[in-house]
Amino acid sequence: MATSSSAQLSKVVKGQYMELPQGDQVQAMYIWIDGTGEGLRCKTRTLDSEPKSIEDFPEWNFDGSSTYQSEGSNSDMYLIPSAMFRDPFRKDPNKLVFCEVLKYNRKSAETNHRHTCKKIMEMVDHQIPWFGMEQEYTILGTDGHPFGWPSNGFPGPQGPYYCGVGADKAYGRDIVEAHYKACLYAGVMICGTNAEVMPAQWEFQIGPCEGINMGDHLWVARFILHRVCEDFGVVASFDPKPISGNWNGAGCHTNFSTKEMREDGGLKFIEECIEKLGKRHNYHIRAYDPKGGLDNARRLTGHHETSNIHEFSAGVANRGASIRIPRTVGQEKKGYFEDRRPSANCDPYAVTEALIRTCLLDEEGEEPVDY
């Protein structure tokens, strides 16, 4: 099993330094999305006292020519602190700070979808939109081979692994448990986890989150997962189809509701949303992975619990549909629906914004409206 060299360094020795007192000063780790739209970057600065709110963090900058975000001749990019969390690696009073990225002219970077998402969420905040996102991922060795798989072959076929228990069924549970606790410590709204259908594939759920918080909390949960995996010497992959062939892909199923949908008779509003989504399928497919649908084309084949990328479908308790209405929602005539199309490497800001635009702002056509 290929693990990183840094994972072999003594954590006991490191622990001696991590326990040293730091006075009133605080380490703030600034986190941002790079130019790929799916990679995360981070760096740390010292603050003189513990920040009490996001306004207490200063703006910062970085070299965008090294993160696929600018040219070397004009490389400075701005980090705008946007969401604050406790740091589960350095512990209190240290902080994680999720940031928006602005270009040299103070306009949003191409992969900063938070800026427009926040504007769209503010337009509908009276409808109290809730989201819950189910993040699937695969644990890999540093050689790209799935964790725990035979080096020259494959494990047994899918069937015993989903929510499985036992060393021959659950590959890498230590990472899952460490990640869960770290998210709870940080204040991330993680609400569950389970082993997935393919061995070495897992899922955690974030939510219910209102509005812009959905993107903030999922991105920070991803960052924490990457850092936990770094400590264990392995890699977390959000590739939507990490292993070709008869193996499940990885998605980020998105559950959505408004105040009206959650109240008695809300099924009517759910059905109206599904009708609107059916007329705008291509727009959503483009918004649901960072490559405009190309990543999802490998996953949404109509097999392995997915719908076909070229067709829109909906059904009660149907895991082969684009949109699933849970059985209990059909019975109680209120609740939420699940959009099963977003890929594991989607940008949650882009996904939640697209849902609001189509379902609540009644947008039509292939392009988003500029407000």
Side-chain angles (χ1 to χ4, degrees), residues 288-357:
Y288 283 3
D289 81 46
K291 297 186 179 68
L294 293 177
D295 277 346
N296 241 342
R298 295 183 283 125
R299 167 181 160 257
L300 295 179
T301 59
H303 305 290
H304 305 109
E305 298 182 54
T306 69
S307 57
N308 187 304
I309 194 169
H310 302 297
E311 298 164 5
F312 180 85
S313 56
V316 175
N318 183 357
R319 283 180 158 74
S322 311
I323 305 291
R324 179 181 72 95
I325 299 175
R327 176 82 60 205
T328 53
V329 174
Q331 291 167 345
E332 296 172 8
K333 304 282 190 280
K334 64 179 179 181
Y336 66 96
F337 66 85
E338 175 192 53
D339 193 334
R340 298 178 62 81
R341 295 172 293 175
S343 67
N345 62 344
C346 70
D347 187 330
Y349 297 124
V351 171
T352 55
E353 180 187 324
L355 282 167
I356 296 294
R357 285 178 177 274

Side-chain angles (χ1 to χ4, degrees), residues 14-143:
K14 178 192 170 190
Q16 294 175 357
Y17 299 101
M18 297 304 285
E19 289 166 12
L20 291 172
Q22 57 187 64
D24 293 330
Q25 292 183 308
V26 168
Q27 291 171 288
M29 182 173 277
Y30 284 52
I31 305 161
W32 70 98
I33 302 164
D34 70 16
T36 65
E38 46 188 321
L40 287 165
R41 308 291 178 116
C42 65
K43 62 176 186 169
T44 302
R45 68 184 296 167
T46 305
L47 304 179
D48 289 334
S49 60
E50 182 179 356
K52 300 302 181 199
S53 70
I54 198 67
E55 289 74 30
D56 294 338
F57 292 92
E59 284 186 19
W60 206 7
N61 55 60
F62 68 94
D63 166 20
S65 68
S66 300
T67 61
Y68 317 114
Q69 286 171 298
S70 68
E71 298 173 3
S73 57
N74 190 8
S75 64
D76 277 5
M77 310 280 285
Y78 297 104
L79 291 172
I80 311 301
S82 302
M84 173 179 75
F85 297 84
R86 296 167 73 196
D87 187 338
F89 306 102
R90 294 164 171 158
K91 304 195 178 71
D92 289 338
N94 303 301
K95 305 296 181 193
L96 303 179
V97 202
F98 193 75
C99 301
E100 285 191 31
V101 176
L102 303 184
K103 296 189 283 193
Y104 69 94
N105 57 6
R106 309 285 299 181
K107 291 202 163 103
S108 288
E110 282 72 13
T111 54
N112 175 12
H113 297 298
R114 188 184 190 277
H115 185 74
T116 53
C117 181
K118 190 164 186 286
K119 193 163 75 172
I120 294 298
M121 291 298 171
E122 286 168 353
M123 291 171 67
V124 298
D125 58 3
H126 59 285
Q127 299 192 50
I128 315 178
W130 287 2
F131 301 93
M133 296 182 80
E134 307 168 26
Q135 177 69 69
E136 295 178 334
Y137 63 96
T138 310
I139 303 173
L140 308 176
T142 51
D143 57 357

Side-chain angles (χ1 to χ4, degrees), residues 119-120 123 357 361 363 369-371:
K119 193 163 75 172
I120 294 298
M123 291 171 67
R357 285 178 177 274
L361 298 178
E363 289 187 18
V369 175
D370 195 10
Y371 296 99

